[in-house]
Amino acid sequence: MSTEILRSYLEGAWQAGTGDGAEVADAVTGEIITRVSSDGLDLGRAVGYARRTGGAALRELTFPQRAAVLKAAALALEERKQELYDLSARAGATRRDAKVDVDGGIGTALVYASLGRKGLPDGTVIVEDDAVPLGKGGTFAGRHILTTPRGIAVQINAFNFPVWGMLEKLAPALLAGLPTIVKPATPTAYIAARAVLIMEESGALPPGAIQLVGGAIPGLFDLLGGQDHIGFTGSASTAARLRADAAVTRRSARFNAEADSLNCSVLGPDAVPGRPEFDLFVGALVTEMTVKAGQKCTAIRRAFVPAARIDMVAQAVEAELARVVVGAPGADGVTMGPLVGLPQREDVRAAAARIASAGSVVHGDLAKVEVVGADPERGAFLSPLLVRVDDVARPEPHEVEAFGPVSTLMPYTGTEQLRDLIACGEGSLAGSVVSADKDFVREVVLAAAAHHGRILVLDHDSAAESTGHGTPMPQLVHGGPGRAGGGEEEGGLRAVHAHLQRTAVQGSPAVLEAITSERPANS
Amino acid sequence: MSTEILRSYLEGAWQAGTGDGAEVADAVTGEIITRVSSDGLDLGRAVGYARRTGGAALRELTFPQRAAVLKAAALALEERKQELYDLSARAGATRRDAKVDVDGGIGTALVYASLGRKGLPDGTVIVEDDAVPLGKGGTFAGRHILTTPRGIAVQINAFNFPVWGMLEKLAPALLAGLPTIVKPATPTAYIAARAVLIMEESGALPPGAIQLVGGAIPGLFDLLGGQDHIGFTGSASTAARLRADAAVTRRSARFNAEADSLNCSVLGPDAVPGRPEFDLFVGALVTEMTVKAGQKCTAIRRAFVPAARIDMVAQAVEAELARVVVGAPGADGVTMGPLVGLPQREDVRAAAARIASAGSVVHGDLAKVEVVGADPERGAFLSPLLVRVDDVARPEPHEVEAFGPVSTLMPYTGTEQLRDLIACGEGSLAGSVVSADKDFVREVVLAAAAHHGRILVLDHDSAAESTGHGTPMPQLVHGGPGRAGGGEEEGGLRAVHAHLQRTAVQGSPAVLEAITSERPANS
């Protein structure tokens, strides 16, 4: 890999922006991998190409045909995933981390391909429900249909999941018949671009179904309106800025945000040391802190444990964290890689210091880390950091997100206080309750539900098959209220429906039948 | 009625704002009816009261109990609806107009009460779907539940439907367990306030379930966040301004907009004079122009007819419009009342003049109108105005909304051009196709669907029972993409679901059973 400008894929061709671009460094060595720039690229033409060529091509296909296209693209990625693993390692991902992104993304696309084949009609229109009679004589009724907007899907992704983040948005858009323009995050844009290259070289996707632009997207939102869909994953502040654009506020482009949040995990009062749930809680917390070096929107940031048990939990987590080996992905024994880059490390250090100011550090050191197989200063290495905050009224652990291997342990004294503490997060993507006490679980889940897009209950019964606190599943909604962005992705076919326009059609039963009966697709 | 300040209903008490307030004039006589001001009212306390008292009271009730509350409130309004008719007349509404608002609102609330009783579980949690297996061993699965946010519903309404607009938002919010704060539009706030008074005096609603504030709401949005729901009906520019507030962009309060749009009606090529559909089209257009003096978000603004037939359609509509009698509601023979006020008349005149500049006036006069039973200058009277624009590429008829008895007749020469013309509206609440040719209907409806929240097909078969182009039905979605605000109201239980938080719950089958099985309600 050279330090050439990363090429964008626009209008069916790989094109390099001009200028110096933003340098992207290897997370492990600090070496410059590529530069990212969209200067000189014509985004207006790209949007036109998506609308004209991509939209027309996808609307020609029935839902099952689109599902077949998606499956072929996913299988092309499966075949060449080693390339993506190799690139991911340069972004700091261990093999375990890369699998979460790459295999997770491919698996998500395959689940959607299956849903599209089995769960959608052999046509281009979804009839959502039965006809609703609107008159006593039976001559007038209403029915809802879902059809493909004449628009495009723009996805703006976070750096942490360049493959999964792209595919989980591409899959429903493609099934819905919307062409996609991907704007990957700069630090890992080269991984997303390789995935697009693999799909493109496979010939699986119709022309215009996907485009990718590395770098800034000035003016792009000016071209978006009520038929378009914007899918955003990233920081709450960027979400707020984009959502205030006239494309959204004035022209009503659909905007779905999935933002970082201060996800919690709760240890039940029943889960004393010696009970399997105690170990499950400790293991899950350490996993969430260390997978992708804690750079996950869904990672556990706040761990609530019964006050009487906080010392024991702290000790147990400490013992596990002490076994974490930080270093270059692939180097001997390494279990946790670096953060994605040095600027990210500075952000995490600053945020973690603010959290730590509210309590004490149980494990880890913000300034110092032992590193295997790499230079700790050239690479973006950071030790896992467990903070303990006993004064739970302090705002920092509930408000400050350190987007790295950082979590805060806090005590609770009863379910009423626990409810309030959970709500202090002001909306999260994922929460978990680790307990075998079903009354406790029920009470906490129902109290926490309004603040969460997803809640995992972990106990001995399901542990072996549980997919874990931090893993969104394509069948289930991913997103959360408030701080988490207020959006909803995935959730099986819900995400496809969210890309379509729902229309109530009213008329005689014969008219409704004529409109909703399946016929060969046309655009 | 005096010219006292209209009292707001906050914290369980009727309270008058201070200062001069905004004068509200009788639409017919110009006499000042009341003044509206929120100066000196403590909206922060009102929000706290809603959250604390209203939310807690509603969360104590099961869905069927909330449905019973809603039904009782609706029946109280039914019993005293004459009061609302009488007040509506002062806002310019004929009895026919007032029924659309008052009876329409009560009917909507009753439909929701019925949906809540029959379609929702006897508890406080909705289990949305079957469990999805997430492991081969059957020990781990996921399921979606819908629960009540810990928030409030704020509704900001348009002047044209003070009763219906309030009830169609109150009904799903109340069923969902959210307390409501209503901010009615100033010109008809006194009608909404009377409706709230009637509900309050009936004792049907729990304390805090509804509050009403007349006048401005400075600072209110600063108190809203991710657990709250904002329902807006009104102009696109106000929608854009509110939607750009940090409550929405930063804290992810839910925001649903229903904005004015340039709704179209299409006459099919089969519907030649002599066919019933020709007359149905003409009748529907005149109805939509004159009911509520055309002050409906759903009214037909653009009437597309086959080019070869435009002269005949113009003549037929002209003949019908010539029979419209403008005047004081209730005066002898009057079929159309005034606009809501003189400022509104000025706006409509200005907008209509812009549209007319693109073509010619078929019927009506912006400057002059014959009026029965009132002074044409003191009241906000305006003649119905039919404009004809043959140069369909002119932007005015597709972009300028005259929110009064104003429509534009335009020719089309084939379905391809028709599609483009429909799309020029950039998103509408309601469209209609008047034709008995099912192939034509199918083609146009499927092409227009992506631009519409609702499409009515009108033909001889359904005409007798058809609810008409302009009437939203509680069972069907109301809202539309793009210019129409991108939102969705009503649609049966969809609106209730839209006020709830969807959460994916994961765990063992036994855990999911424990969480989703119904038990007595608790908060």
Side-chain angles (χ1 to χ4, degrees):
Chain A
M1 193 164 288
S2 73
T3 59
E4 284 177 1
I5 294 274
L6 181 74
R7 288 184 304 160
S8 292
Y9 184 62
L10 300 172
E11 297 179 76
W14 290 92
Q15 313 177 25
T18 57
D20 291 341
E23 287 185 345
V24 177
D26 187 305
V28 180
T29 64
E31 179 194 349
I32 302 305
I33 297 178
T34 189
R35 291 177 294 121
V36 174
S37 167
S38 62
D39 292 359
L41 301 178
D42 192 332
L43 299 184
R45 285 177 56 109
V47 169
Y49 181 72
R51 290 197 194 288
R52 224 174 28 253
T53 306
L58 289 173
R59 288 196 302 269
E60 282 290 328
L61 304 178
T62 62
F63 292 118
Q65 288 170 333
R66 294 173 202 160
V69 160
L70 180 60
K71 183 176 181 180
L75 293 179
L77 289 167
E78 174 69 25
E79 208 163 293
R80 293 174 63 180
K81 66 183 177 185
Q82 185 62 46
E83 296 172 40
L84 299 170
Y85 292 164
D86 293 345
L87 291 178
S88 299
R90 303 199 69 179
T94 63
R95 178 56 60 97
R96 174 176 73 158
D97 299 341
K99 277 177 178 290
V100 175
D101 184 37
V102 176
D103 295 62
I106 294 168
T108 298
L110 289 174
V111 167
Y112 269 98
S114 169
L115 288 169
R117 195 174 72 248
K118 296 178 192 165
L120 293 175
D122 187 14
T124 59
V125 176
I126 296 175
V127 181
E128 197 175 44
D129 47 16
D130 293 335
V132 184
L134 296 171
K136 287 179 181 162
T139 66
F140 186 63
R143 198 161 192 185
H144 293 92
I145 62 173
L146 301 169
T147 62
T148 300
R150 301 285 155 145
I152 69 174
V154 172
Q155 47 168 270
I156 298 169
N157 293 327
F159 72 80
N160 52 346
F161 289 107
V163 177
W164 176 83
M166 178 166 68
L167 293 177
E168 60 108 23
K169 291 186 180 73
L170 176 68
L174 198 151
L175 286 180
L178 292 186
T180 288
I181 296 179
V182 182
K183 187 254 178 286
T186 295
T188 53
Y190 59 97
I191 306 173
R194 179 65 66 94
V196 170
L197 179 74
I198 292 170
M199 290 192 280
E200 183 246 319
E201 289 182 349
S202 78
L205 299 175
I210 192 166
Q211 299 180 82
L212 174 138
V213 55
I217 48 171
L220 180 62
F221 273 41
D222 297 342
L223 306 173
L224 302 181
Q227 297 285 302
D228 302 313
H229 185 286
I230 301 162
F232 171 80
T233 302
S235 74
S237 60
T238 306
R241 186 169 53 76
L242 295 176
R243 183 145 55 186
D245 192 280
V248 182
T249 61
R250 191 159 288 279
R251 296 189 297 280
S252 307
R254 296 181 194 198
F255 187 87
N256 191 84
E258 192 258 271
D260 311 339
S261 60
L262 289 147
N263 312 290
C264 69
S265 183
V266 173
L267 180 68
D270 58 302
V272 297
R275 297 289 285 270
E277 285 74 21
F278 184 89
D279 298 332
L280 289 169
F281 178 85
V282 171
L285 179 55
V286 172
T287 297
E288 291 300 316
M289 288 178 70
T290 56
V291 170
K292 294 202 64 91
Q295 298 168 112
K296 293 198 308 182
C297 305
T298 53
I300 299 168
R301 304 295 172 198
R302 303 183 297 153
F304 297 119
V305 302
R309 234 97 67 204
I310 189 164
D311 290 330
M312 283 177 280
V313 173
Q315 283 164 25
V317 178
E318 216 284 321
E320 290 285 323
L321 289 176
R323 281 200 282 275
V324 172
V325 180
V326 178
D332 202 31
V334 165
T335 58
M336 187 179 108
L339 300 181
V340 75
L342 296 176
Q344 187 64 24
R345 181 168 68 177
E346 286 319 298
D347 288 352
V348 174
R349 278 177 172 158
R354 285 182 61 198
I355 299 169
S357 74
S360 57
V361 171
V362 174
H363 175 90
D365 188 329
L366 282 176
K368 204 169 103 250
V369 57
E370 237 174 89
V371 168
V372 174
D375 179 326
E377 282 316 304
R378 300 177 75 93
F381 296 97
L382 193 68
S383 106
L385 192 85
L386 183 67
V387 178
R388 172 174 168 170
V389 173
D390 288 292
D391 180 1
V392 296
R394 287 289 295 247
E396 293 88 345
H398 307 289
E399 287 178 5
V400 179
E401 190 185 26
F403 202 68
V406 182
S407 275
T408 307
L409 202 57
M410 286 178 272
Y412 70 88
T413 51
T415 50
E416 196 148 337
Q417 186 199 22
L418 181 58
R419 274 173 190 226
D420 292 342
L421 290 174
I422 291 171
C424 282
E426 296 194 342
S428 295
L429 295 169
S432 53
V433 184
V434 189
S435 166
D437 176 344
K438 293 195 178 53
D439 287 328
F440 176 80
V441 163
R442 179 185 159 91
E443 187 181 352
V444 174
V445 167
L446 291 181
H451 306 286
H452 285 88
R454 183 169 60 81
I455 299 178
L456 171 82
V457 179
L458 188 57
D459 61 18
H460 180 68
D461 290 347
S462 62
E465 290 202 304
S466 176
T467 49
H469 171 106
T471 307
M473 300 299 289
Q475 299 89 344
L476 305 180
V477 295
H478 174 53
R483 191 189 297 275
E488 217 179 67
E489 296 180 328
E490 304 199 297
L493 290 173
R494 288 176 185 84
V496 179
H497 295 175
H499 285 78
L500 299 169
Q501 173 65 39
R502 178 178 290 120
T503 306
V505 182
Q506 296 171 282
S508 71
V511 162
L512 296 184
E513 176 61 26
I515 290 168
T516 58
S517 63
E518 285 301 337
R519 298 196 202 170
N522 64 54
S523 63
Chain B
M1 193 165 290
S2 72
T3 59
E4 284 176 2
I5 293 275
L6 181 74
R7 288 184 303 162
S8 293
Y9 184 62
L10 300 172
E11 298 178 76
W14 290 92
Q15 313 178 23
T18 57
D20 292 340
E23 288 184 344
V24 177
D26 187 304
V28 180
T29 64
E31 180 195 348
I32 301 305
I33 298 178
T34 187
R35 291 176 294 120
V36 175
S37 167
S38 62
D39 292 358
L41 301 178
D42 193 333
L43 299 183
R45 285 177 56 109
V47 169
Y49 181 73
R51 290 198 195 288
R52 223 174 28 253
T53 306
L58 288 173
R59 288 197 301 271
E60 282 290 329
L61 305 178
T62 62
F63 291 118
Q65 287 170 335
R66 295 173 201 159
V69 161
L70 180 61
K71 183 176 180 180
L75 293 180
L77 290 167
E78 174 69 26
E79 208 164 293
R80 292 174 62 180
K81 67 184 178 184
Q82 185 63 45
E83 295 172 40
L84 299 170
Y85 293 163
D86 293 345
L87 291 179
S88 299
R90 304 199 69 179
T94 64
R95 177 58 59 97
R96 175 176 72 159
D97 298 341
K99 278 177 176 290
V100 174
D101 184 36
V102 176
D103 295 63
I106 294 169
T108 298
L110 290 174
V111 167
Y112 269 98
S114 170
L115 288 169
R117 195 174 73 248
K118 297 177 190 167
L120 293 175
D122 188 14
T124 59
V125 176
I126 296 175
V127 181
E128 197 175 44
D129 47 16
D130 293 336
V132 184
L134 297 171
K136 286 177 181 163
T139 65
F140 186 64
R143 198 162 192 183
H144 294 92
I145 63 172
L146 301 169
T147 61
T148 300
R150 301 285 154 146
I152 69 173
V154 173
Q155 48 168 270
I156 299 169
N157 293 328
F159 71 79
N160 53 345
F161 289 107
V163 178
W164 175 84
M166 178 167 68
L167 293 178
E168 60 109 23
K169 292 186 180 73
L170 175 68
L174 198 150
L175 286 180
L178 292 186
T180 288
I181 296 179
V182 182
K183 186 250 177 290
T186 294
T188 53
Y190 59 96
I191 305 172
R194 179 65 65 95
V196 170
L197 178 74
I198 293 170
M199 289 191 282
E200 184 247 317
E201 290 183 348
S202 79
L205 299 175
I210 192 166
Q211 299 181 82
L212 175 138
V213 55
I217 48 171
L220 180 62
F221 272 42
D222 297 342
L223 305 174
L224 303 180
Q227 298 285 303
D228 302 313
H229 185 285
I230 302 162
F232 171 81
T233 302
S235 75
S237 60
T238 306
R241 184 169 52 76
L242 296 177
R243 183 146 55 187
D245 192 280
V248 182
T249 62
R250 191 160 287 280
R251 297 190 296 280
S252 308
R254 297 181 193 198
F255 187 87
N256 191 84
E258 194 259 270
D260 311 339
S261 60
L262 289 147
N263 313 289
C264 68
S265 184
V266 174
L267 180 68
D270 58 301
V272 297
R275 298 288 285 269
E277 285 75 22
F278 184 89
D279 297 332
L280 288 169
F281 178 86
V282 171
L285 179 54
V286 172
T287 298
E288 291 300 315
M289 288 178 69
T290 56
V291 171
K292 292 204 65 93
Q295 299 169 111
K296 293 198 309 183
C297 304
T298 54
I300 299 169
R301 302 296 171 197
R302 303 182 299 152
F304 297 120
V305 302
R309 232 98 66 205
I310 190 166
D311 290 330
M312 283 177 282
V313 173
Q315 282 163 26
V317 178
E318 215 286 318
E320 291 283 325
L321 289 176
R323 282 202 282 273
V324 171
V325 179
V326 178
D332 201 31
V334 165
T335 58
M336 188 178 108
L339 300 181
V340 76
L342 296 176
Q344 186 64 23
R345 181 168 70 176
E346 285 320 297
D347 288 353
V348 173
R349 278 177 171 157
R354 286 181 61 197
I355 299 169
S357 74
S360 56
V361 171
V362 174
H363 176 90
D365 188 329
L366 282 176
K368 207 170 100 242
V369 58
E370 238 174 86
V371 167
V372 174
D375 179 326
E377 283 316 304
R378 298 177 76 93
F381 296 97
L382 193 67
S383 106
L385 193 83
L386 183 67
V387 178
R388 171 173 169 170
V389 174
D390 288 294
D391 180 2
V392 295
R394 287 289 296 248
E396 292 88 346
H398 307 290
E399 289 178 5
V400 179
E401 189 184 27
F403 202 69
V406 182
S407 274
T408 307
L409 202 57
M410 285 179 272
Y412 71 87
T413 52
T415 49
E416 196 147 335
Q417 187 200 20
L418 181 57
R419 275 172 189 226
D420 292 342
L421 290 174
I422 290 170
C424 282
E426 296 193 340
S428 295
L429 295 170
S432 53
V433 185
V434 189
S435 166
D437 177 343
K438 293 196 178 54
D439 287 329
F440 174 81
V441 164
R442 177 185 161 91
E443 188 181 352
V444 174
V445 168
L446 291 181
H451 306 285
H452 285 87
R454 182 169 59 83
I455 299 178
L456 171 81
V457 179
L458 188 57
D459 62 18
H460 179 68
D461 290 348
S462 61
E465 290 201 303
S466 177
T467 48
H469 172 105
T471 308
M473 301 297 291
Q475 300 89 344
L476 305 180
V477 295
H478 174 54
R483 192 190 297 275
E488 219 177 66
E489 296 179 327
E490 303 200 294
L493 290 173
R494 288 176 185 84
V496 179
H497 295 176
H499 285 77
L500 299 170
Q501 173 65 39
R502 177 178 289 119
T503 306
V505 182
Q506 296 171 282
S508 71
V511 162
L512 295 185
E513 176 61 26
I515 291 168
T516 59
S517 63
E518 284 304 338
R519 299 197 202 169
N522 65 55
S523 62

